[in-house]
């Protein structure tokens, strides 16, 4: 039986939080009273997360699947690895840290029942540290101006996607991406709802400042060439102003004579422009680097193992051939 709802949960070193997540996620999904599956994807955890996930798979093999990646591929790649395995008509992404309440899933499902093929979310009273909220506000604004992605709260990963959107995302082969934005480009009827947000109670955020900057470059470069155009436009503008300056100085030289004052002003302007030029070079580098990664065509993630019941086997208990299948073997299932 194909499930109505697939819930995708990326997990990276979340051993402390997983038991709490299981305790809330499964009752919330049981309450939906429709067939569902939870697809956990372990993103190369080095703690006991995989063991926790395996134990949960043994407790609820009928509705649980676990994909174990060989190495840390990043949250967005991990989600794509899970998308490729989902079977549900609706696919919901949820973080493992309970910052987004699993109880909200019912509202996302209701929005999709009502016809939405993309349900974005806005965190009501987001519970994160100050600098993260400020940086998010800034990045949301930059993204809003430079891309055609119209989402209010890009950082909230509790989102719902219809199968048609997921199929389109699965056809993409980009190596650096931002799942909510990528999916948005395929949505025909996107809606947004407000959801509650909680502090992270156990474990730590997996995003350092460096990782957040990288992620935002993925978003910008993946969905806009405006940063490149900005530098070509600025370059043209500066060249034009410089030309006027040259003409003014040439004329002045004939009328007033040579000038040597304002030397440090000149330095200041020159240093500023050198800074701008280096920044521009860096921006070009961000694009070139991603193009390079893309043309190398290495696999985006490596699946080490998949824990799932053989398709069709819905019986519970010891007889249910729960098995560990290697990725090559999964294609050959039944
Ligand atoms: N995550 C992941 N791979 C990574 C980093 C994070 O799968 O490389 C998962 C993590 O386990 C969590 C989700 O992505 O389920 C969001 O991470 P986190 O809560 O640390 O991010 P934040 O809420 O601080 O933005
Ligand atoms: Mg979090």
């Amino acid at each position: 039986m194909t499930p109505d709802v697939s819930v995708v949960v990326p997990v990276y070193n979340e051993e402390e939080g997983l038991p709490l997540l299981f305790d809330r996620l499964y009752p919330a999904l049981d309450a939906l009273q429709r067939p569902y599956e939870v697809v956990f994807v372990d993103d190369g955890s080095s703690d006991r997360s995989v063991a926790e996930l395996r134990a949960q798979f043994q407790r609820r093999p009928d509705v649980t699947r676990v994909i174990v990646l060989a190495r840390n591929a990043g949250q967005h790649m991990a989600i794509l690895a899970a998308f490729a395995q989902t079977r549900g008509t609706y696919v919901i992404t949820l973080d493992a840290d309970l910052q987004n309440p699993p109880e909200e899933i019912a509202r996302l499902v209701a929005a999709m029942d009502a016809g939405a093929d993309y349900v974005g979310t806005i965190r009501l009273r987001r519970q994160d540290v100050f600098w993260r909220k400020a940086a998010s506000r800034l990045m949301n604004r930059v993204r809003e101006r430079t891309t055609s992605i119209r989402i209010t709260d890009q950082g909230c990963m509790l989102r719902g996607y219809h199968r048609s959107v997921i199929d389109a995302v699965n056809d993409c082969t980009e190596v650096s991406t931002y799942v909510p934005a990528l999916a948005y480009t395929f949505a025909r009827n996107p809606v947004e709802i407000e959801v509650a947000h909680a502090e992270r109670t156990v474990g730590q955020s997996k995003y350092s400042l460096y990782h957040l900057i990288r992620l935002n470059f993925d978003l910008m470069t993946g969905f806009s060439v405006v940063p490149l155009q900005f530098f070509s436009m600025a370059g043209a503008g500066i060249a034009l102003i410089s030309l006027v300056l040259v003409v003014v100085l040439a004329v002045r030289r004939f009328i007033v004579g040579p000038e040597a004052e304002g030397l440090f002003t000149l330095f200041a302007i020159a240093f500023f422009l050198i800074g701008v030029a280096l920044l521009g070079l860096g921006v070009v580098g961000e694009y070139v680097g991603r193009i390079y990664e893309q043309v190398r065509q290495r696999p985006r993630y490596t699946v080490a193992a998949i824990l799932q019941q053989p398709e069709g086997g819905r019986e519970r208990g010891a007889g249910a051939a729960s098995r560990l299948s290697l990725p090559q073997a999964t294609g050959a299932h039944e």
Side-chain angles (χ1 to χ4, degrees), residues 45-122:
S45 298
S46 51
D47 65 357
R48 286 188 32 81
S49 293
V50 177
E52 290 286 349
L53 293 174
R54 177 175 294 127
Q56 179 61 18
F57 169 67
Q58 275 150 5
R59 281 189 290 267
R60 295 295 301 272
D62 52 335
V63 289
T64 308
R65 298 161 72 199
V66 181
I67 302 163
V68 183
L69 299 188
R71 296 188 41 145
N72 180 251
Q75 181 185 3
H76 291 257
M77 280 306 134
I79 289 174
L80 291 184
F83 277 2
Q85 301 287 332
T86 54
R87 303 186 273 229
T89 314
Y90 303 160
V91 176
I92 312 271
T93 54
L94 174 77
D95 284 353
D97 58 3
L98 285 176
Q99 286 198 268
N100 293 124
E103 294 77 22
E104 301 274 24
I105 290 174
R107 296 180 49 229
L108 274 79
V109 169
M112 288 203 276
D113 280 342
D117 61 353
Y118 179 107
V119 188
T121 49
I122 305 166

Side-chain angles (χ1 to χ4, degrees), residues 36-179:
Y36 71 86
E37 63 175 4
V38 187
V39 183
F40 291 102
V41 48
D42 177 79
D43 189 15
S45 298
S46 51
D47 65 357
R48 286 188 32 81
S49 293
V50 177
E52 290 286 349
L53 293 174
R54 177 175 294 127
Q56 179 61 18
F57 169 67
Q58 275 150 5
R59 281 189 290 267
R60 295 295 301 272
D62 52 335
V63 289
T64 308
R65 298 161 72 199
V66 181
I67 302 163
V68 183
L69 299 188
R71 296 188 41 145
N72 180 251
Q75 181 185 3
H76 291 257
M77 280 306 134
I79 289 174
L80 291 184
F83 277 2
Q85 301 287 332
T86 54
R87 303 186 273 229
T89 314
Y90 303 160
V91 176
I92 312 271
T93 54
L94 174 77
D95 284 353
D97 58 3
L98 285 176
Q99 286 198 268
N100 293 124
E103 294 77 22
E104 301 274 24
I105 290 174
R107 296 180 49 229
L108 274 79
V109 169
M112 288 203 276
D113 280 342
D117 61 353
Y118 179 107
V119 188
T121 49
I122 305 166
R123 288 168 284 196
L124 274 176
R125 285 181 296 283
R126 178 172 170 196
Q127 307 291 324
D128 272 315
V129 287
F130 167 77
W131 69 266
R132 292 260 331 235
K133 286 193 272 193
S136 289
R137 255 198 304 278
L138 175 73
M139 288 319 299
N140 271 304
R141 196 166 305 160
V142 173
R143 190 254 316 137
E144 198 67 29
R145 298 226 165 136
T146 52
T147 70
S148 54
I149 314 285
R150 296 284 162 264
I151 49 187
T152 309
D153 185 4
Q154 62 194 24
C156 189
M157 292 301 287
L158 171 62
R159 277 163 196 278
Y161 310 101
H162 193 270
R163 170 61 36 197
S164 55
V165 173
I166 294 292
D167 285 342
V169 168
N170 285 343
D171 282 340
C172 296
T173 54
E174 37 201 281
V175 295
S176 44
T177 199
Y178 197 86
V179 172

Side-chain angles (χ1 to χ4, degrees), residues 283-313:
V283 169
V284 174
E286 295 289 341
Y287 282 90
V288 173
R290 283 170 178 77
I291 296 168
Y292 179 52
E293 283 181 348
Q294 192 76 49
V295 297
R296 277 193 312 220
Q297 296 206 324
R298 294 196 184 146
R300 300 185 292 173
Y301 49 79
T302 318
V303 178
I306 299 181
L307 291 165
Q308 62 186 359
Q309 271 190 336
E311 241 158 275

